[in-house]
Amino acid sequence: MNSLHITETILRDANQSLVATRLSFDQFAPILDKLDKVGYYSLECWGGATFDSCIRYLNEDPWDRLKKIKLVVKNTPLQMLLRGQNILGYKHYPDDCVKEFIKASVYHGIDIIRIFDALNDYRNIKVALEETKKQGAHAQGTIVYTVSPIHNIENYVKLAKQLEDMGSDSICIKDMAGLLMPKTSFDLIKNIKENVKIPVYLHSHSTNGLAEMSYLKAVEAGINGIDCAISSFAGGTSQPATETLHYALTKSGYTTNLNGTLLKETNDFFKPIREDFIKSGILNPKVLSPQPEGLIYQIPGGMLSNMISQLKEQNSLNKLEEVLEEVPKVRKDLGYPPLVTPMSQMVGTQATINILTGEKYKMLLKEVKSYCKGEYGRAPGEINQTLLKKALGNEKPITSRYADTLKPIFEKTKNDIKNITTNNEDILTYLSFPEIGEQFLRKKLYSPSPEQLREKTKTGVV
Ligand code: CO
């Protein structure tokens, strides 16, 4: 195959990985028209942490952001990242909420939904996948990639076939920690491509300096598309640079469909924005260089910085080395979950507690208990028996799909907050992040609309 799909991540993952998702709509609005003309396969622009950041830090309505992007980006498909049964939050939601969320997302302009479950337990993405298709959008099933003694190419091929059987329109291999080695990338993609008919995409991060190499090997093995970020927001904890891949692949006999002139203009637009983020301290240039520690500890960059700040708070930064050694042990005890949200936080915090209390699992994190009970889904491997007994007590673990135990809450919530809003999207915002969601909605309720402001100015009553 000689034609490659390029997804641009500047508005979502690059934004999230480099500047804590602080890029506001007003900052990127002037470039949307150009982004639409570059020739990208898709523009990843919503979901992930963008939703949370909009209401928590930017005082922006995430639904308005989507609608406003769609008004300008008319040709390039808009893509979002969805955490299966977790939607965009950290807990499992009942099916009615998952369906309503997807319905609204597609209605307001999302064309491709990339759906993942942290444990690759596909019972947790089934409803989201089916609803995405029902609403007429492209459902991309995801394999979360990790390295462990129980994960191998054979397992990943099985997962890929499972996604195809479930009706996925395509598959994404999500290497969130940038651990995929070039040779593994080739073997993995080749094997998956030989076993499924649907297109396969690769998503990685340059955190450890491997992603460009793994992308090239994936291309040689027949991948259909890769995720890149415009160069001023590329590299380090973000994706490989769009322009670099475009030129490297074009000169190697592939076509990317991207317009080089527009790519340069897009990058020129983002350069001063990046400078502002560096000046304000939001973008720390440190995250732009490779941090191969990730390859030693096999943990995502964000997890390392979280653990360092937890230890600093406890005045125990001198214990960092011990905590880092404890992380793989806790991960093994939990049956080798991939270290992606929410598992990365769970494993990191439990490892820190184990070291600080001086006794393994003396204090058990609430989330670890729920995980052992099966509330997050099926653990990839076996959970340590002693830990399991401690977590369960006399309770029986849940072996069915956890969401089956949850009652519908959408209509009830609608009624509960009818004094604040009756708008479906607002209700979904509230459901996703109840506390900050409510604050945000109340602020929105009492702040005058631009039209009202204009009226008031006219009448002199401001
Ligand atoms: Co990512």
Side-chain angles (χ1 to χ4, degrees):
M1 182 199 311
N2 282 328
S3 179
L4 273 168
H5 290 161
I6 309 286
T7 293
E8 173 62 53
T9 67
I10 172 68
L11 302 184
R12 207 287 296 175
D13 206 355
N15 172 15
Q16 185 173 328
S17 303
L18 294 186
V19 294
T21 337
R22 297 298 203 279
L23 195 57
S24 69
F25 176 81
D26 290 341
Q27 278 174 298
F28 64 73
I31 200 68
L32 284 174
D33 180 45
K34 208 157 272 172
L35 280 173
D36 191 28
K37 296 191 172 88
V38 173
Y40 294 116
Y41 165 68
S42 64
L43 185 61
E44 195 199 31
C45 62
W46 213 62
T50 60
F51 203 98
D52 188 352
S53 178
C54 272
I55 55 174
R56 195 183 296 264
Y57 304 111
L58 301 171
N59 196 26
E60 237 186 78
D61 187 323
W63 298 98
D64 276 354
R65 174 183 284 207
L66 173 59
K67 290 178 221 172
K68 288 193 280 188
I69 295 175
K70 192 68 176 181
L71 270 180
V72 185
V73 184
K74 295 195 176 82
N75 302 306
T76 311
L78 300 185
Q79 187 171 321
M80 76 171 286
L81 180 69
L82 187 94
R83 207 177 292 134
Q85 209 69 28
N86 295 162
I87 311 180
L88 301 177
Y90 306 103
K91 57 165 193 180
H92 271 51
Y93 284 90
D95 293 340
D96 65 330
C97 298
V98 175
K99 288 180 191 169
E100 289 291 340
F101 198 96
I102 288 172
K103 208 161 123 187
S105 306
V106 176
Y107 181 78
H108 291 299
I110 291 294
D111 301 284
I112 302 172
I113 308 190
R114 176 176 290 169
I115 310 161
F116 79 99
D117 174 68
L119 300 174
N120 288 325
D121 181 345
Y122 292 155
R123 296 174 303 174
N124 295 335
I125 68 165
K126 187 171 177 282
V127 170
L129 209 134
E130 285 169 2
E131 188 63 25
T132 301
K133 291 180 68 91
K134 192 178 154 198
Q135 296 304 325
H138 176 118
Q140 186 170 80
T142 303
I143 296 171
V144 173
Y145 178 79
T146 191
V147 179
S148 90
I150 61 160
H151 287 87
N152 54 45
I153 290 184
E154 212 185 311
N155 300 145
Y156 289 125
V157 170
K158 249 186 226 161
L159 290 172
K161 282 189 192 160
Q162 218 178 315
L163 289 173
E164 186 171 54
D165 290 343
M166 289 169 77
S168 284
D169 294 302
S170 62
I171 291 171
C172 167
I173 294 154
K174 181 179 167 66
D175 175 27
M176 62 281 158
L179 296 174
L180 185 61
M181 290 287 168
K183 182 176 183 307
T184 317
S185 174
F186 185 88
D187 296 341
L188 179 68
I189 306 302
K190 196 164 184 329
N191 273 283
I192 291 181
K193 287 295 292 178
E194 278 168 5
N195 284 282
V196 300
K197 290 186 193 72
I198 50 177
V200 183
Y201 292 84
L202 179 59
H203 172 89
S204 187
H205 289 255
S206 305
T207 321
N208 304 307
L210 291 173
E212 286 82 354
M213 293 185 271
S214 316
Y215 274 12
L216 186 61
K217 293 310 255 182
V219 169
E220 288 170 7
I223 196 99
N224 296 85
I226 47 177
D227 284 10
C228 299
I230 199 78
S231 59
S232 43
F233 277 81
T237 48
S238 177
Q239 272 74 50
T242 312
E243 300 96 306
T244 311
L245 266 297
H246 164 68
Y247 287 110
L249 294 172
T250 308
K251 297 285 176 198
S252 314
Y254 299 90
T255 54
T256 62
N257 201 30
L258 302 185
N259 178 316
T261 313
L262 292 180
L263 277 179
K264 181 174 182 309
E265 288 171 19
T266 302
N267 193 44
D268 286 345
F269 173 85
F270 279 108
K271 269 186 202 162
I273 297 181
R274 165 194 151 115
E275 288 313 305
D276 287 347
F277 275 122
I278 292 178
K279 262 185 226 143
S280 66
I282 294 176
L283 173 53
N284 182 345
K286 263 191 203 157
V287 304
L288 295 170
S289 353
Q291 304 158 63
E293 287 89 350
L295 296 176
I296 304 167
Y297 305 120
Q298 306 206 322
I299 60 172
M303 189 175 156
L304 186 62
S305 46
N306 265 349
M307 286 191 314
I308 292 175
S309 68
Q310 277 176 358
L311 286 171
K312 261 190 196 155
E313 267 171 37
Q314 305 288 326
N315 266 328
S316 309
L317 199 56
N318 58 331
K319 298 258 167 75
L320 180 64
E321 204 55 41
E322 276 175 77
V323 172
L324 285 171
E325 277 166 27
E326 182 68 8
V327 166
K329 293 177 193 160
V330 172
R331 186 173 173 233
K332 182 178 180 223
D333 289 343
L334 293 177
Y336 297 109
L339 295 179
V340 63
T341 305
M343 298 314 302
S344 43
Q345 291 84 341
M346 203 190 288
V347 171
T349 310
Q350 186 63 57
T352 309
I353 294 175
N354 284 358
I355 295 302
L356 292 185
T357 57
E359 191 187 323
K360 235 181 177 46
Y361 308 121
K362 183 178 176 187
M363 227 183 91
L364 217 48
L365 208 61
K366 189 174 113 249
E367 288 81 4
V368 171
K369 266 190 193 164
S370 311
Y371 172 88
C372 292
K373 282 182 194 162
E375 291 179 13
Y376 286 81
R378 206 183 284 125
E382 250 176 67
I383 300 177
N384 175 294
Q385 283 302 319
T386 321
L387 170 64
L388 195 61
K389 271 189 204 125
K390 199 161 188 184
L392 287 174
N394 293 325
E395 284 181 65
K396 275 213 163 78
I398 300 156
T399 50
S400 62
R401 194 182 74 112
Y402 181 60
D404 287 339
T405 67
L406 305 172
K407 287 195 182 76
I409 50 166
F410 188 77
E411 290 304 324
K412 185 187 173 298
T413 310
K414 204 169 177 171
N415 191 46
D416 288 350
I417 62 163
K418 62 175 186 283
N419 294 332
I420 311 176
T421 181
T422 52
N423 172 293
N424 267 11
E425 285 80 64
D426 285 347
I427 293 158
L428 290 164
T429 302
Y430 173 81
L431 272 166
S432 304
F433 300 97
E435 267 166 45
I436 53 158
E438 182 173 345
Q439 283 169 22
F440 173 80
L441 293 174
R442 285 191 187 278
K443 232 189 284 168
K444 201 173 100 166
L445 180 69
Y446 296 115
S447 61
S449 68
E451 291 75 27
Q452 286 170 322
L453 266 182
R454 241 171 276 138
E455 276 307 306
K456 280 184 185 165
T457 320
K458 253 190 255 166
T459 53
V461 194
V462 180

